[in-house]
Amino acid sequence: MALDQASREAYEEIVRKNPAEPEFHQAVFEVLEAIRPALQRDPDLRDAAMLERLCEPERQVMFRVVWTDDAGAVHVNRGFRVGFSSALGPYKGGLRFRGDVTLGTVKFLAFEQIFKNALTGLGIGAGKGGSDFDPAGRSDAEIMRFCQAFMTELVRHIGPETDVPAGDIGVGGREIGYLFGQYKRLTNRYDAGTITGKNPVLGGIPARPEATGYGTVYFLEAMLGTRDDSFSGRTAVVSGSGNVAYHAIAKLKELGAKPVACSDSGGYVHDPRGIDLDLLHDLKVARRGRLAEYVDHVPSAKYVADGTPWDVPCDLALPCATQNELDEQSALRLVKNNVRAVAEGANMPCTPGSLQIFREAGVAVGPGKAANAGGVAVSALEMQQNAARERWTFERTDRTLRDIMTDIHRTCLETADEHGVAGDYVSGANIAGFRKVVAAMDVCGYI
């Protein structure tokens, strides 16, 4: 599927106005391509420059972050926050701390968030933020000072009814705690709903750390169900070994699948017996170590430096690490090994070429803006909990999460069928999110 002339012209103008931002260009192209059936069916969706307005952020903020390390040396980083769409509610989306973060990275993530957040049905807009600060190898004290400096600048742009950040790569419970503490200090307010992903003692919701990984597996379970398939006896490969990947592996095991491989930035480990969850937790969560150490404890496992887990034969593939991690060659290997389904636990982890290969091979693909929406969905539930001064249980949150992911799956499938692309989850997710946001933009007038 390609772009029609009007969408092509809109895309070319977006590229011209946003040079040197290839990830953002890729995300926009994917959406414009995926929603083509909706535009053909209802040409009025193009009225009032709707495509152009949708692809232009409402605001973009970039600021300097100055902090000192444990030796007293001064460092300067860049901070970013992009509010892309508030059509459905306050801006909502995580903060990413990693050395390769740029404005273009944040913009692409915020754009993806528009459709993901719309699919949850929970009344949240779309935003994203972060910094080119890399927390790896930094002490707790250094990370605390950086987070405090970052929040000192960010504080003027956020609030429970304006913009609600959360965590992402490099920003977990520790960082969220430091950020929220500085927010309270600067504002003299306990606005618990300003930041989500908090520790439960600060008003965080149970099951938030698990939500993205669990939600991806719940979506995959629904995908398999449409094919009269299940997790029973199926092998799975998961990229990454951080929060999302760890909890996806845990839920896969709980539901009867056997995850046999996972990865980190150094390589991947293959354990034919099934990934040892306790060991993985100790290595990657408790000690923030390297996956290469896994084989020191499990000699029968194999560690491959600089390799890709997609070389391991599997029935189910869950890319849960980062964008564009699963390329065309990897897709061809997975198809050759008879992969049945792919569920994106990360944001845009499959390249356009790999998606085309899966489509041609008849492999079901759950796109990130649907399959990994569980994280932001539970963040929105945390906002509800904070606003009501309630305390949810883990069971209540997990049950609601599963219902939300099942509903998102149904919406994607029904929308795809309605627009003549039956079974195409990528088109279904994009069209459903697009129509919901455009409807809200339309009733607000030309803003």
Side-chain angles (χ1 to χ4, degrees):
M1 192 183 297
L3 302 185
D4 58 32
Q5 183 175 346
S7 294
R8 169 66 65 178
E9 291 173 356
Y11 173 73
E12 290 174 350
E13 178 64 10
I14 289 163
V15 171
R16 185 192 68 78
K17 292 171 65 176
N18 302 273
E21 295 179 353
E23 293 162 328
F24 178 52
H25 303 161
Q26 179 184 336
V28 170
F29 188 93
E30 178 190 291
V31 169
L32 293 179
E33 183 180 46
I35 66 173
R36 184 174 179 180
L39 297 176
Q40 290 175 330
R41 179 179 174 180
D42 186 0
D44 290 344
L45 291 172
R46 298 183 187 276
D47 289 352
M50 198 62 79
L51 292 181
E52 292 80 0
R53 290 159 59 196
L54 185 69
C55 296
E56 183 69 26
E58 292 179 10
R59 73 178 187 189
Q60 303 177 69
V61 179
M62 184 165 66
F63 49 88
R64 181 178 65 194
V65 185
V66 181
W67 60 283
T68 56
D69 63 22
D70 290 341
V74 178
H75 297 264
V76 180
N77 286 95
R78 279 184 170 177
F80 309 94
R81 189 68 182 173
V82 173
F84 222 113
S85 172
S86 61
L88 295 173
Y91 303 123
K92 185 79 193 78
L95 298 169
R96 176 175 294 190
F97 291 171
R98 206 164 88 163
D100 60 357
V101 170
T102 65
L103 180 60
T105 308
V106 174
K107 196 183 296 182
F108 125 68
L109 291 168
F111 182 72
E112 288 282 290
Q113 207 81 34
I114 298 173
F115 310 92
K116 180 190 303 186
N117 293 5
L119 286 170
T120 69
L122 294 172
I124 44 177
K128 206 77 176 185
S131 173
D132 57 2
F133 168 78
D134 189 350
R138 293 293 180 183
S139 70
D140 284 352
E142 288 174 327
I143 290 172
M144 180 179 69
R145 287 195 293 273
F146 174 81
C147 288
Q148 290 172 342
F150 183 88
M151 180 53 72
T152 299
E153 294 298 323
L154 184 65
V155 66
R156 68 196 70 185
H157 304 293
I158 64 175
E161 303 299 331
T162 304
D163 188 347
V164 182
D168 194 78
I169 295 174
V171 180
R174 173 184 56 176
E175 290 77 15
I176 291 293
Y178 295 151
L179 290 164
F180 183 60
Q182 183 71 350
Y183 176 84
K184 290 196 299 104
R185 177 197 221 175
L186 295 170
T187 63
N188 193 34
R189 292 195 304 271
Y190 204 109
D191 288 336
T194 295
I195 301 175
T196 59
K198 303 180 295 299
N199 186 294
V201 301
L202 297 174
I205 194 168
R208 177 58 188 91
E210 294 85 355
T212 306
Y214 279 20
T216 301
V217 176
Y218 291 149
F219 191 93
L220 177 56
E221 180 182 42
M223 289 171 63
L224 293 175
T226 65
R227 300 184 172 204
D228 295 321
D229 202 348
S230 72
F231 287 124
S232 180
R234 300 300 178 200
T235 58
V237 168
V238 180
S239 67
S241 51
N243 181 65
V244 177
Y246 173 81
H247 289 108
I249 291 170
K251 184 55 70 172
L252 284 166
K253 288 172 74 80
E254 180 187 323
L255 296 180
K258 184 167 76 169
V260 296
C262 61
S263 63
D264 65 10
S265 58
Y268 74 91
V269 67
H270 178 207
D271 187 345
R273 305 178 313 166
I275 295 296
D276 186 322
L277 264 181
D278 292 336
L279 176 56
L280 184 63
H281 184 277
D282 180 60
L283 288 176
K284 299 300 294 183
V285 180
R287 297 198 283 113
R288 302 176 188 270
R290 305 306 301 166
L291 198 57
E293 301 173 52
Y294 188 99
V295 295
D296 295 337
H297 303 271
V298 184
S300 61
K302 178 184 179 182
Y303 179 77
V304 180
D306 300 320
T308 167
W310 315 125
D311 291 338
V312 178
C314 62
D315 300 307
L316 311 170
L318 288 80
C320 295
T322 192
Q323 64 267 19
N324 290 325
E325 58 168 300
L326 202 165
D327 60 16
E328 291 88 334
Q329 293 305 313
S330 297
L332 287 170
R333 285 194 294 275
L334 285 168
V335 169
K336 182 180 179 181
N337 288 325
N338 298 311
V339 69
R340 291 170 176 266
V342 177
E344 295 185 333
N347 293 304
M348 205 171 72
C350 294
T351 64
S354 67
L355 289 174
Q356 183 61 30
I357 289 167
F358 290 138
R359 186 180 296 115
E360 292 173 354
V363 176
V365 177
K369 53 174 63 79
N372 74 35
V376 75
V378 171
S379 281
L381 298 180
E382 183 173 327
M383 293 166 64
Q384 289 184 19
Q385 175 192 256
N386 294 155
R389 301 290 185 185
E390 294 180 342
R391 291 286 182 178
W392 285 36
T393 63
F394 184 98
E395 292 73 21
R396 177 183 176 185
T397 308
D398 188 38
R399 184 171 60 250
T400 306
L401 167 64
R402 195 169 197 161
D403 289 343
I404 290 170
M405 298 310 299
T406 302
D407 185 65
I408 291 174
H409 174 269
R410 182 173 56 252
T411 297
C412 293
L413 210 56
E414 290 177 352
T415 303
D417 187 56
E418 181 185 348
H419 288 81
V421 284
D424 187 337
Y425 289 98
V426 175
S427 290
N430 281 290
I431 293 171
F434 171 72
R435 295 192 71 104
K436 187 170 291 189
V437 174
V438 164
M441 291 172 65
D442 185 52
V443 297
C444 286
Y446 300 158
I447 59 171

